[in-house]
Amino acid sequence: MIDMQGVYKTYPNGVIAINGIDVTIEQGEFVYIVGPSGAGKSTFIKLIFREEKPTKGSITVNGKDVLKLKWKQIPYLRRDIGVVYQDFKLLPKMTVYENVAFALEVIGETPKTIRKRVMEVLDLVGLKNKARFIPDELSGGEQQRISIARAIVNYPKLLIADEPTGNLDPDTSWEIMRILEEINAGGTTVIMATHSKEIVNTIKKRVIAIEDGLIARDQHRGEYGYEV
Amino acid sequence: MAMKFRTMKRHFREGAKNIWRNSWMTIASVGAVTTTLVLVGAFLALMLNLSHIAGNLEEDVEIKAFVDLTAEQAEIDAIGAEIEEISEVSLVEFSTKEEELEGLIESMGDEGQVWELYEQDNPLSHAYIVKTTDPLDTVSVASQIEAIENVEKVNYGQDVVQNLFTFNNYARNIGLVLIIGLVFTAIFLISNTIKITIMARRKEIEIMKLVGATNGFIRWPFFVEGLLLGVLGSIIPIAAIVTGYYYLSNNVSSLTQFEFVELLSFNPFAWQLSLLILAIGASIGVWGSVMSVRKFLKV
Ligand SMILES: Nc1ncnc2c1ncn2[C@@H]1O[C@H](COP(=O)(O)OP(=O)(O)OP(=O)(O)O)[C@@H](O)[C@H]1O
Ligand SMILES: [Mg+2]
């Protein structure tokens, strides 16, 4: 599913965020990315769907050589990948409904399918009753759940979530984890960056620890491994 | 590119919604379009009418070729045939010396009676009255006619005509330059307004791209939005011009002492001008919008 070889990323301002990573993630896996703040987790994630381009190395996602993609092909790579952003990235002037529907309009779904599917996922994240709100009218946790709804609405092959429980109360966090596990059970690969020791130690999955831009640890059914 | 009909529909709906969602941008852009189109419209109306009036004056220009007094009938006919040979000539009319005298007496009014004495012994010559297809050819055609045998002299109001043509030429060129300048200023002003407001939407465009939207998918609603901005911006200018022109064309004869000042008639001119303004508004809107969004698409 994902294969990275000798990947480096230096930002234009000179910060070395990823400093030589080799990793393979198979289809259907559930992977936690852990590590201290500023370690390079978000950068690692952004490299997968080409929000950032590596300075060096090769990345294959879903059989596509991410570096060889032309500008025109990038949207198609992204359509197979659902992303929950650390900063949500919701469209501020669109309603909750429109934000989620956008991911389906992009792939040309019929209005009927869109309506049905959007209401389905909004129900799943518990925000059906806020469909007509705009993001500014929602709490941080609610915005995060919209971001999750948008990421899963088109049944992506790969779901990437950058701290999807970062702004949520424990109850909602477990609810979100249940949704992610369910999606994973359906065959979708899930990659999730998190700072939650509790979640990682309770729902045991593969753990990749990134420190100073390097993979410090890669364990199946691993522990969080950091003191909180 | 074959686009699904429902996707096209979506783009139109989305473009229309953006008009509401970005109400401040809408107000700013529509304001810019309105202001410039009122100027462009008023100026176009002025220029086209001036050109029309000048054209009318030019239309009135004719060449009179006087036939030598001694010419025989056959020679007179030959002159007519030769004039018709000239390719720029559109109309040739023969006027006998009796008709010439009559015309003279008429144009003199009361004083003309003096000339009635001459009716027995007419001192005037027969004449050919010639019109050219393009009034600007008058001078060259006149000199060709003058060269014809048995033509005594030609008259086309030499001084006046030359001045009229020069003046009209200047007026048209200056008008054209001014209009082009005005339209470019309008394009610049409007696309700048739109650009500034779209800058504020840079983040949105980036997000759309991250969710997997192609450039076309993002561009289309902007296209629609620009189109609507342009159309909205032409409403007031069109209303102003139609009303203003209606008033003006009904009252111009009483406002001026000159009979030759005849404006282009309200129907169809006002409608044609409205259509032109609408077209300018729509294209400027689309252009400004699509050009501005282009810069942010490489994400
Ligand atoms: N766009 C950017 N331009 C320049 N430097 C950046 C950019 N994004 C991240 N960095 C730097 O790269 C390093 C890694 O950042 P990254 O966001 O990947 O960390 P992280 O592991 O996700 O941290 P956190 O847990 O706080 O989210 C940091 O030092 C950060 O300052
Ligand atoms: Mg991060």
Side-chain angles (χ1 to χ4, degrees), chain A residues 49 51 71-72 74-76 78-79 85 89-94 98 102-103 105-111 150, chain B residues 4 6-7 10 13-14 17 21-22 201 204-205 207-215 217-218 297-299:
Chain A
F49 57 94
E51 184 174 346
W71 279 109
K72 278 183 175 256
I74 295 174
Y76 301 96
R78 290 174 182 163
R79 288 176 193 185
Y85 297 90
K89 292 206 192 297
L90 297 175
L91 293 161
K93 297 208 180 78
M94 290 191 188
E98 289 167 336
F102 190 85
E105 287 173 351
V106 159
I107 55 176
E109 277 294 355
T110 62
R150 182 182 60 190
Chain B
K4 287 180 191 142
R6 62 165 174 270
T7 306
R10 180 257 170 207
R13 199 181 54 234
E14 206 60 24
K17 274 188 189 170
R21 285 179 185 146
N22 306 284
R201 286 154 76 180
E204 292 174 44
I205 295 171
I207 294 172
M208 292 177 185
K209 292 232 59 178
L210 288 176
V211 182
T214 56
N215 289 350
F217 193 88
I218 293 171
L297 286 174
K298 282 216 164 183
V299 181

CSV table of all heavy atoms in Angstrom, one decimal, chain A residues 49 51 71-72 74-76 78-79 85 89-94 98 102-103 105-111 150, chain B residues 4 6-7 10 13-14 17 21-22 201 204-205 207-215 217-218 297-299:
chain,number,residue,atom,x,y,z
A,49,PHE,N,0.3,11.9,0.6
A,49,PHE,CA,-0.7,12.3,-0.4
A,49,PHE,C,-0.2,13.6,-1.1
A,49,PHE,O,-1.0,14.3,-1.7
A,49,PHE,CB,-2.1,12.5,0.2
A,49,PHE,CG,-2.2,13.5,1.4
A,49,PHE,CD1,-2.5,14.8,1.2
A,49,PHE,CD2,-1.9,13.0,2.7
A,49,PHE,CE1,-2.5,15.7,2.2
A,49,PHE,CE2,-2.0,13.9,3.7
A,49,PHE,CZ,-2.3,15.3,3.5
A,51,GLU,N,1.0,16.4,-0.2
A,51,GLU,CA,0.8,17.8,0.2
A,51,GLU,C,2.2,18.4,0.3
A,51,GLU,O,2.4,19.6,0.0
A,51,GLU,CB,0.1,17.9,1.6
A,51,GLU,CG,-0.1,19.4,1.9
A,51,GLU,CD,-0.9,19.6,3.2
A,51,GLU,OE1,-1.5,18.7,3.7
A,51,GLU,OE2,-0.9,20.8,3.7
A,71,TRP,N,1.1,17.2,-12.3
A,71,TRP,CA,0.1,18.0,-11.6
A,71,TRP,C,-1.3,17.5,-11.8
A,71,TRP,O,-2.1,17.5,-10.9
A,71,TRP,CB,0.2,19.5,-12.1
A,71,TRP,CG,1.3,20.2,-11.5
A,71,TRP,CD1,2.5,20.6,-12.1
A,71,TRP,CD2,1.5,20.6,-10.1
A,71,TRP,NE1,3.3,21.2,-11.2
A,71,TRP,CE2,2.7,21.2,-10.0
A,71,TRP,CE3,0.7,20.5,-9.0
A,71,TRP,CZ2,3.2,21.8,-8.8
A,71,TRP,CZ3,1.1,21.0,-7.8
A,71,TRP,CH2,2.3,21.6,-7.7
A,72,LYS,N,-1.6,17.1,-13.0
A,72,LYS,CA,-3.0,16.7,-13.3
A,72,LYS,C,-3.4,15.4,-12.6
A,72,LYS,O,-4.6,15.2,-12.5
A,72,LYS,CB,-3.1,16.6,-14.8
A,72,LYS,CG,-3.4,17.8,-15.6
A,72,LYS,CD,-3.6,17.6,-17.0
A,72,LYS,CE,-3.9,18.8,-17.8
A,72,LYS,NZ,-5.2,19.0,-18.1
A,74,ILE,N,-2.4,14.4,-9.6
A,74,ILE,CA,-2.4,14.4,-8.1
A,74,ILE,C,-3.8,14.3,-7.5
A,74,ILE,O,-4.0,13.6,-6.6
A,74,ILE,CB,-1.6,15.7,-7.6
A,74,ILE,CG1,-0.2,15.6,-8.0
A,74,ILE,CG2,-1.8,15.9,-6.1
A,74,ILE,CD1,0.7,16.8,-7.7
A,75,PRO,N,-4.8,15.1,-8.1
A,75,PRO,CA,-6.1,14.9,-7.5
A,75,PRO,C,-6.6,13.5,-7.5
A,75,PRO,O,-7.3,13.1,-6.5
A,75,PRO,CB,-7.0,15.8,-8.5
A,75,PRO,CG,-6.1,16.7,-9.1
A,75,PRO,CD,-4.8,16.0,-9.2
A,76,TYR,N,-6.2,12.7,-8.5
A,76,TYR,CA,-6.7,11.3,-8.5
A,76,TYR,C,-6.1,10.5,-7.4
A,76,TYR,O,-6.7,9.6,-6.8
A,76,TYR,CB,-6.5,10.7,-9.9
A,76,TYR,CG,-7.3,11.5,-10.9
A,76,TYR,CD1,-6.7,12.5,-11.6
A,76,TYR,CD2,-8.7,11.4,-11.1
A,76,TYR,CE1,-7.4,13.3,-12.5
A,76,TYR,CE2,-9.4,12.1,-11.9
A,76,TYR,CZ,-8.8,13.1,-12.7
A,76,TYR,OH,-9.5,13.9,-13.5
A,78,ARG,N,-5.3,11.7,-4.5
A,78,ARG,CA,-5.9,12.1,-3.3
A,78,ARG,C,-7.3,11.6,-3.1
A,78,ARG,O,-7.8,11.5,-2.0
A,78,ARG,CB,-5.9,13.7,-3.2
A,78,ARG,CG,-4.5,14.2,-3.0
A,78,ARG,CD,-4.5,15.7,-3.1
A,78,ARG,NE,-3.1,16.2,-3.0
A,78,ARG,CZ,-2.7,17.5,-3.4
A,78,ARG,NH1,-3.6,18.3,-3.9
A,78,ARG,NH2,-1.5,17.8,-3.2
A,79,ARG,N,-8.0,11.3,-4.2
A,79,ARG,CA,-9.4,10.8,-4.1
A,79,ARG,C,-9.4,9.4,-3.4
A,79,ARG,O,-10.4,9.0,-2.9
A,79,ARG,CB,-10.0,10.7,-5.4
A,79,ARG,CG,-10.3,12.1,-6.0
A,79,ARG,CD,-10.9,12.0,-7.3
A,79,ARG,NE,-10.9,13.4,-7.9
A,79,ARG,CZ,-11.4,13.7,-9.1
A,79,ARG,NH1,-11.9,12.7,-9.8
A,79,ARG,NH2,-11.4,14.9,-9.5
A,85,TYR,N,-7.3,16.2,8.9
A,85,TYR,CA,-6.2,17.1,9.2
A,85,TYR,C,-6.2,17.6,10.6
A,85,TYR,O,-7.2,17.7,11.3
A,85,TYR,CB,-6.3,18.3,8.3
A,85,TYR,CG,-6.2,18.0,6.8
A,85,TYR,CD1,-7.3,17.7,6.1
A,85,TYR,CD2,-4.9,17.9,6.2
A,85,TYR,CE1,-7.2,17.3,4.8
A,85,TYR,CE2,-4.8,17.6,4.9
A,85,TYR,CZ,-6.0,17.3,4.2
A,85,TYR,OH,-5.9,16.9,2.8
A,89,LYS,N,-9.0,21.7,8.2
A,89,LYS,CA,-9.1,22.2,6.8
A,89,LYS,C,-10.5,22.1,6.3
A,89,LYS,O,-10.8,21.5,5.2
A,89,LYS,CB,-8.2,21.4,5.9
A,89,LYS,CG,-6.7,21.7,6.2
A,89,LYS,CD,-5.9,21.4,5.0
A,89,LYS,CE,-4.4,21.5,5.3
A,89,LYS,NZ,-3.9,22.8,5.8
A,90,LEU,N,-11.5,22.7,7.0
A,90,LEU,CA,-12.8,22.7,6.5
A,90,LEU,C,-13.0,24.0,5.6
A,90,LEU,O,-12.3,25.0,5.9
A,90,LEU,CB,-13.8,22.7,7.6
A,90,LEU,CG,-13.8,21.4,8.5
A,90,LEU,CD1,-14.8,21.6,9.7
A,90,LEU,CD2,-14.2,20.2,7.7
A,91,LEU,N,-13.9,23.9,4.7
A,91,LEU,CA,-14.2,25.1,3.9
A,91,LEU,C,-15.1,26.1,4.7
A,91,LEU,O,-16.2,25.7,5.0
A,91,LEU,CB,-14.8,24.7,2.5
A,91,LEU,CG,-13.9,23.9,1.6
A,91,LEU,CD1,-14.6,23.1,0.6
A,91,LEU,CD2,-12.8,24.8,1.0
A,92,PRO,N,-14.6,27.2,5.0
A,92,PRO,CA,-15.2,28.1,6.0
A,92,PRO,C,-16.6,28.6,5.6
A,92,PRO,O,-17.5,28.9,6.4
A,92,PRO,CB,-14.3,29.2,6.2
A,92,PRO,CG,-13.4,29.3,5.0
A,92,PRO,CD,-13.3,27.8,4.5
A,93,LYS,N,-16.8,28.8,4.3
A,93,LYS,CA,-18.1,29.4,3.8
A,93,LYS,C,-19.1,28.3,3.5
A,93,LYS,O,-20.2,28.7,3.1
A,93,LYS,CB,-17.8,30.3,2.7
A,93,LYS,CG,-16.9,31.4,3.1
A,93,LYS,CD,-17.1,32.7,2.2
A,93,LYS,CE,-16.2,33.8,2.7
A,93,LYS,NZ,-14.8,33.5,2.1
A,94,MET,N,-18.7,27.1,3.6
A,94,MET,CA,-19.7,26.0,3.2
A,94,MET,C,-20.3,25.4,4.5
A,94,MET,O,-19.6,25.4,5.6
A,94,MET,CB,-19.0,24.9,2.4
A,94,MET,CG,-18.7,25.4,1.0
A,94,MET,SD,-18.2,23.9,0.1
A,94,MET,CE,-17.6,24.7,-1.4
A,98,GLU,N,-22.3,20.7,3.1
A,98,GLU,CA,-21.6,21.0,1.8
A,98,GLU,C,-20.1,20.6,1.9
A,98,GLU,O,-19.6,20.1,0.9
A,98,GLU,CB,-21.7,22.5,1.5
A,98,GLU,CG,-23.1,22.9,1.1
A,98,GLU,CD,-23.3,24.4,1.0
A,98,GLU,OE1,-22.6,25.1,1.8
A,98,GLU,OE2,-24.2,24.9,0.3
A,102,PHE,N,-18.7,17.8,-0.7
A,102,PHE,CA,-17.7,18.2,-1.6
A,102,PHE,C,-16.8,17.1,-2.1
A,102,PHE,O,-16.5,16.9,-3.3
A,102,PHE,CB,-16.8,19.3,-1.0
A,102,PHE,CG,-15.9,20.0,-2.0
A,102,PHE,CD1,-16.3,21.0,-2.8
A,102,PHE,CD2,-14.6,19.5,-2.2
A,102,PHE,CE1,-15.5,21.6,-3.7
A,102,PHE,CE2,-13.8,20.1,-3.1
A,102,PHE,CZ,-14.2,21.2,-3.9
A,103,ALA,N,-16.4,16.2,-1.2
A,103,ALA,CA,-15.6,15.1,-1.5
A,103,ALA,C,-16.3,14.1,-2.5
A,103,ALA,O,-15.6,13.4,-3.2
A,103,ALA,CB,-15.1,14.3,-0.2
A,105,GLU,N,-18.8,15.3,-4.6
A,105,GLU,CA,-19.1,16.0,-5.9
A,105,GLU,C,-17.8,16.0,-6.8
A,105,GLU,O,-17.9,15.9,-8.0
A,105,GLU,CB,-19.4,17.5,-5.5
A,105,GLU,CG,-20.8,17.7,-4.9
A,105,GLU,CD,-21.0,19.1,-4.4
A,105,GLU,OE1,-20.0,19.9,-4.4
A,105,GLU,OE2,-22.1,19.4,-4.1
A,106,VAL,N,-16.7,16.0,-6.1
A,106,VAL,CA,-15.4,16.0,-6.8
A,106,VAL,C,-15.3,14.7,-7.7
A,106,VAL,O,-14.8,14.7,-8.8
A,106,VAL,CB,-14.3,16.0,-5.8
A,106,VAL,CG1,-13.0,15.5,-6.4
A,106,VAL,CG2,-14.1,17.4,-5.3
A,107,ILE,N,-15.8,13.6,-7.2
A,107,ILE,CA,-15.7,12.4,-8.0
A,107,ILE,C,-17.0,12.1,-8.9
A,107,ILE,O,-17.1,11.1,-9.5
A,107,ILE,CB,-15.5,11.1,-7.1
A,107,ILE,CG1,-16.5,11.0,-6.0
A,107,ILE,CG2,-14.1,11.2,-6.5
A,107,ILE,CD1,-16.4,9.7,-5.2
A,108,GLY,N,-17.9,13.2,-8.9
A,108,GLY,CA,-19.0,13.1,-9.8
A,108,GLY,C,-20.1,12.2,-9.4
A,108,GLY,O,-20.8,11.7,-10.3
A,109,GLU,N,-20.3,12.0,-8.1
A,109,GLU,CA,-21.5,11.2,-7.7
A,109,GLU,C,-22.8,11.9,-8.0
A,109,GLU,O,-22.9,13.1,-8.2
A,109,GLU,CB,-21.4,11.0,-6.2
A,109,GLU,CG,-20.4,9.8,-5.7
A,109,GLU,CD,-20.9,8.5,-6.2
A,109,GLU,OE1,-22.0,8.4,-6.8
A,109,GLU,OE2,-20.2,7.5,-6.0
A,110,THR,N,-23.8,11.0,-8.1
A,110,THR,CA,-25.2,11.6,-8.3
A,110,THR,C,-25.7,12.3,-7.1
A,110,THR,O,-25.3,11.9,-6.0
A,110,THR,CB,-26.2,10.5,-8.7
A,110,THR,OG1,-26.3,9.6,-7.6
A,110,THR,CG2,-25.8,9.7,-9.9
A,111,PRO,N,-26.5,13.4,-7.3
A,111,PRO,CA,-27.0,14.1,-6.1
A,111,PRO,C,-27.7,13.2,-5.1
A,111,PRO,O,-27.6,13.4,-3.9
A,111,PRO,CB,-28.0,15.1,-6.7
A,111,PRO,CG,-27.5,15.3,-8.1
A,111,PRO,CD,-26.9,14.0,-8.5
A,150,ARG,N,-15.8,13.8,6.3
A,150,ARG,CA,-15.4,14.1,5.0
A,150,ARG,C,-14.4,13.1,4.5
A,150,ARG,O,-14.4,12.7,3.3
A,150,ARG,CB,-14.8,15.5,4.8
A,150,ARG,CG,-14.4,15.9,3.4
A,150,ARG,CD,-13.9,17.2,3.3
A,150,ARG,NE,-12.6,17.4,4.1
A,150,ARG,CZ,-12.0,18.5,4.4
A,150,ARG,NH1,-12.5,19.6,3.9
A,150,ARG,NH2,-11.0,18.6,5.1
B,4,LYS,N,-19.8,15.6,-17.1
B,4,LYS,CA,-21.2,15.1,-16.8
B,4,LYS,C,-22.1,16.3,-16.6
B,4,LYS,O,-21.7,17.3,-16.0
B,4,LYS,CB,-21.2,14.3,-15.5
B,4,LYS,CG,-20.6,12.9,-15.7
B,4,LYS,CD,-20.6,12.2,-14.4
B,4,LYS,CE,-19.8,10.9,-14.5
B,4,LYS,NZ,-19.1,10.6,-13.2
B,6,ARG,N,-24.6,16.7,-14.7
B,6,ARG,CA,-24.9,17.0,-13.3
B,6,ARG,C,-23.7,17.8,-12.6
B,6,ARG,O,-23.9,18.6,-11.8
B,6,ARG,CB,-25.2,15.8,-12.5
B,6,ARG,CG,-24.2,14.7,-12.4
B,6,ARG,CD,-24.5,13.8,-11.3
B,6,ARG,NE,-23.5,12.7,-11.3
B,6,ARG,CZ,-23.7,11.5,-12.0
B,6,ARG,NH1,-24.8,11.4,-12.7
B,6,ARG,NH2,-22.8,10.6,-11.9
B,7,THR,N,-22.5,17.5,-13.1
B,7,THR,CA,-21.3,18.2,-12.6
B,7,THR,C,-21.4,19.7,-13.1
B,7,THR,O,-21.1,20.6,-12.3
B,7,THR,CB,-20.0,17.6,-13.1
B,7,THR,OG1,-20.1,16.2,-12.8
B,7,THR,CG2,-18.8,18.2,-12.5
B,10,ARG,N,-23.8,21.4,-11.1
B,10,ARG,CA,-23.2,21.7,-9.7
B,10,ARG,C,-22.4,22.9,-9.8
B,10,ARG,O,-22.4,23.7,-8.8
B,10,ARG,CB,-22.4,20.4,-9.3
B,10,ARG,CG,-21.8,20.5,-8.0
B,10,ARG,CD,-20.3,20.8,-8.1
B,10,ARG,NE,-19.7,21.2,-6.8
B,10,ARG,CZ,-18.6,22.0,-6.7
B,10,ARG,NH1,-18.1,22.5,-7.8
B,10,ARG,NH2,-18.1,22.2,-5.5
B,13,ARG,N,-24.6,26.0,-9.8
B,13,ARG,CA,-25.2,26.2,-8.5
B,13,ARG,C,-24.1,26.8,-7.5
B,13,ARG,O,-24.4,27.7,-6.8
B,13,ARG,CB,-25.7,24.9,-8.0
B,13,ARG,CG,-26.8,25.0,-6.9
B,13,ARG,CD,-27.2,23.6,-6.4
B,13,ARG,NE,-26.1,22.8,-6.0
B,13,ARG,CZ,-25.9,21.6,-6.5
B,13,ARG,NH1,-26.7,21.0,-7.4
B,13,ARG,NH2,-24.9,20.9,-6.1
B,14,GLU,N,-23.0,26.1,-7.6
B,14,GLU,CA,-21.9,26.5,-6.7
B,14,GLU,C,-21.4,28.0,-7.0
B,14,GLU,O,-21.2,28.8,-6.0
B,14,GLU,CB,-20.7,25.6,-6.9
B,14,GLU,CG,-19.8,25.4,-5.7
B,14,GLU,CD,-20.6,24.9,-4.5
B,14,GLU,OE1,-21.6,24.2,-4.6
B,14,GLU,OE2,-20.1,25.2,-3.4
B,17,LYS,N,-24.0,30.3,-5.6
B,17,LYS,CA,-23.9,30.3,-4.1
B,17,LYS,C,-22.8,31.2,-3.7
B,17,LYS,O,-22.9,31.9,-2.7
B,17,LYS,CB,-23.7,28.9,-3.6
B,17,LYS,CG,-25.0,28.1,-3.4
B,17,LYS,CD,-24.6,26.9,-2.6
B,17,LYS,CE,-25.8,25.9,-2.6
B,17,LYS,NZ,-25.3,24.6,-2.0
B,21,ARG,N,-22.1,33.7,-0.6
B,21,ARG,CA,-21.2,33.4,0.4
B,21,ARG,C,-20.1,34.5,0.6
B,21,ARG,O,-19.6,34.7,1.7
B,21,ARG,CB,-20.4,32.1,0.0
B,21,ARG,CG,-21.3,30.9,0.2
B,21,ARG,CD,-20.5,29.7,-0.2
B,21,ARG,NE,-21.3,28.4,-0.2
B,21,ARG,CZ,-21.1,27.4,-1.0
B,21,ARG,NH1,-20.2,27.5,-2.0
B,21,ARG,NH2,-21.8,26.4,-0.9
B,22,ASN,N,-19.7,35.1,-0.5
B,22,ASN,CA,-18.7,36.1,-0.5
B,22,ASN,C,-19.3,37.4,-0.8
B,22,ASN,O,-18.9,38.2,-1.7
B,22,ASN,CB,-17.6,35.8,-1.5
B,22,ASN,CG,-17.1,34.4,-1.4
B,22,ASN,OD1,-16.3,34.1,-0.5
B,22,ASN,ND2,-17.5,33.5,-2.2
B,201,ARG,N,-9.4,33.9,-0.7
B,201,ARG,CA,-9.9,32.5,-0.8
B,201,ARG,C,-8.9,31.5,-1.2
B,201,ARG,O,-9.2,30.4,-1.5
B,201,ARG,CB,-11.1,32.5,-1.8
B,201,ARG,CG,-12.3,33.2,-1.3
B,201,ARG,CD,-13.1,33.8,-2.3
B,201,ARG,NE,-13.9,32.8,-3.0
B,201,ARG,CZ,-14.7,33.0,-4.0
B,201,ARG,NH1,-14.9,34.2,-4.4
B,201,ARG,NH2,-15.4,32.0,-4.6
B,204,GLU,N,-9.1,28.3,0.8
B,204,GLU,CA,-10.2,27.5,0.3
B,204,GLU,C,-9.8,26.7,-0.9
B,204,GLU,O,-10.1,25.5,-1.0
B,204,GLU,CB,-11.4,28.3,0.0
B,204,GLU,CG,-12.1,29.0,1.2
B,204,GLU,CD,-13.2,29.9,0.7
B,204,GLU,OE1,-14.0,29.5,-0.1
B,204,GLU,OE2,-13.2,31.0,1.3
B,205,ILE,N,-9.1,27.3,-1.8
B,205,ILE,CA,-8.7,26.6,-3.0
B,205,ILE,C,-7.7,25.5,-2.7
B,205,ILE,O,-7.8,24.4,-3.2
B,205,ILE,CB,-8.1,27.6,-4.0
B,205,ILE,CG1,-9.2,28.6,-4.5
B,205,ILE,CG2,-7.5,26.9,-5.2
B,205,ILE,CD1,-8.7,29.8,-5.3
B,207,ILE,N,-7.6,23.9,0.1
B,207,ILE,CA,-8.3,22.8,0.7
B,207,ILE,C,-9.0,21.9,-0.3
B,207,ILE,O,-9.0,20.7,-0.3
B,207,ILE,CB,-9.3,23.3,1.7
B,207,ILE,CG1,-8.6,24.0,2.9
B,207,ILE,CG2,-10.3,22.2,2.2
B,207,ILE,CD1,-9.5,24.7,3.9
B,208,MET,N,-9.7,22.6,-1.3
B,208,MET,CA,-10.3,21.9,-2.4
B,208,MET,C,-9.4,20.9,-3.1
B,208,MET,O,-9.7,19.8,-3.4
B,208,MET,CB,-11.0,22.8,-3.4
B,208,MET,CG,-12.1,23.6,-2.8
B,208,MET,SD,-12.7,24.8,-4.0
B,208,MET,CE,-14.0,25.7,-3.0
B,209,LYS,N,-8.2,21.4,-3.3
B,209,LYS,CA,-7.2,20.6,-4.0
B,209,LYS,C,-6.8,19.4,-3.2
B,209,LYS,O,-6.6,18.3,-3.7
B,209,LYS,CB,-6.0,21.4,-4.4
B,209,LYS,CG,-6.3,22.4,-5.5
B,209,LYS,CD,-5.4,22.4,-6.6
B,209,LYS,CE,-5.3,21.0,-7.4
B,209,LYS,NZ,-4.5,21.1,-8.5
B,210,LEU,N,-6.7,19.6,-1.9
B,210,LEU,CA,-6.3,18.5,-1.0
B,210,LEU,C,-7.4,17.5,-0.9
B,210,LEU,O,-7.2,16.3,-0.6
B,210,LEU,CB,-6.0,19.1,0.4
B,210,LEU,CG,-4.7,19.8,0.5
B,210,LEU,CD1,-4.5,20.4,1.9
B,210,LEU,CD2,-3.5,19.0,0.1
B,211,VAL,N,-8.6,17.9,-1.1
B,211,VAL,CA,-9.7,16.9,-1.1
B,211,VAL,C,-9.9,16.2,-2.4
B,211,VAL,O,-10.7,15.3,-2.6
B,211,VAL,CB,-11.1,17.6,-0.7
B,211,VAL,CG1,-12.2,16.6,-0.5
B,211,VAL,CG2,-10.9,18.3,0.7
B,212,GLY,N,-9.0,16.5,-3.4
B,212,GLY,CA,-9.0,15.8,-4.6
B,212,GLY,C,-9.7,16.5,-5.8
B,212,GLY,O,-10.0,15.8,-6.8
B,213,ALA,N,-9.9,17.8,-5.7
B,213,ALA,CA,-10.6,18.5,-6.8
B,213,ALA,C,-9.5,18.8,-7.9
B,213,ALA,O,-8.4,19.1,-7.6
B,213,ALA,CB,-11.2,19.8,-6.3
B,214,THR,N,-9.9,18.6,-9.1
B,214,THR,CA,-9.1,18.9,-10.2
B,214,THR,C,-9.1,20.5,-10.4
B,214,THR,O,-10.0,21.1,-9.9
B,214,THR,CB,-9.5,18.3,-11.6
B,214,THR,OG1,-10.9,18.6,-11.8
B,214,THR,CG2,-9.4,16.8,-11.5
B,215,ASN,N,-8.2,21.0,-11.2
B,215,ASN,CA,-8.2,22.4,-11.4
B,215,ASN,C,-9.5,22.9,-12.1
B,215,ASN,O,-10.0,23.9,-11.8
B,215,ASN,CB,-7.0,22.8,-12.3
B,215,ASN,CG,-5.7,22.7,-11.6
B,215,ASN,OD1,-5.7,22.5,-10.3
B,215,ASN,ND2,-4.6,22.8,-12.2
B,217,PHE,N,-12.4,21.5,-11.9
B,217,PHE,CA,-13.5,21.5,-11.0
B,217,PHE,C,-13.5,22.7,-10.1
B,217,PHE,O,-14.6,23.2,-9.7
B,217,PHE,CB,-13.3,20.2,-10.1
B,217,PHE,CG,-14.5,19.9,-9.3
B,217,PHE,CD1,-15.5,19.1,-9.8
B,217,PHE,CD2,-14.7,20.4,-8.0
B,217,PHE,CE1,-16.6,18.7,-9.1
B,217,PHE,CE2,-15.8,20.0,-7.2
B,217,PHE,CZ,-16.8,19.2,-7.8
B,218,ILE,N,-12.4,23.3,-9.8
B,218,ILE,CA,-12.3,24.5,-9.0
B,218,ILE,C,-12.6,25.7,-9.8
B,218,ILE,O,-13.3,26.6,-9.4
B,218,ILE,CB,-10.9,24.6,-8.3
B,218,ILE,CG1,-10.8,23.4,-7.3
B,218,ILE,CG2,-10.8,25.9,-7.6
B,218,ILE,CD1,-9.4,23.3,-6.7
B,297,LEU,N,-3.8,27.5,-8.2
B,297,LEU,CA,-4.2,26.1,-8.4
B,297,LEU,C,-3.0,25.1,-8.3
B,297,LEU,O,-3.3,23.9,-8.3
B,297,LEU,CB,-4.8,26.0,-9.8
B,297,LEU,CG,-6.2,26.6,-9.9
B,297,LEU,CD1,-6.7,26.6,-11.3
B,297,LEU,CD2,-7.1,25.8,-9.0
B,298,LYS,N,-1.8,25.6,-8.2
B,298,LYS,CA,-0.7,24.6,-8.1
B,298,LYS,C,-0.4,24.2,-6.7
B,298,LYS,O,0.6,24.6,-6.1
B,298,LYS,CB,0.6,25.3,-8.7
B,298,LYS,CG,0.5,25.2,-10.2
B,298,LYS,CD,1.9,25.0,-10.8
B,298,LYS,CE,1.8,24.6,-12.3
B,298,LYS,NZ,3.2,24.3,-12.8
B,299,VAL,N,-1.3,23.4,-6.1
B,299,VAL,CA,-1.1,22.9,-4.8
B,299,VAL,C,-1.0,21.4,-4.8
B,299,VAL,O,-1.8,20.7,-5.4
B,299,VAL,CB,-2.2,23.3,-3.8
B,299,VAL,CG1,-1.9,22.8,-2.4
B,299,VAL,CG2,-2.4,24.8,-3.8
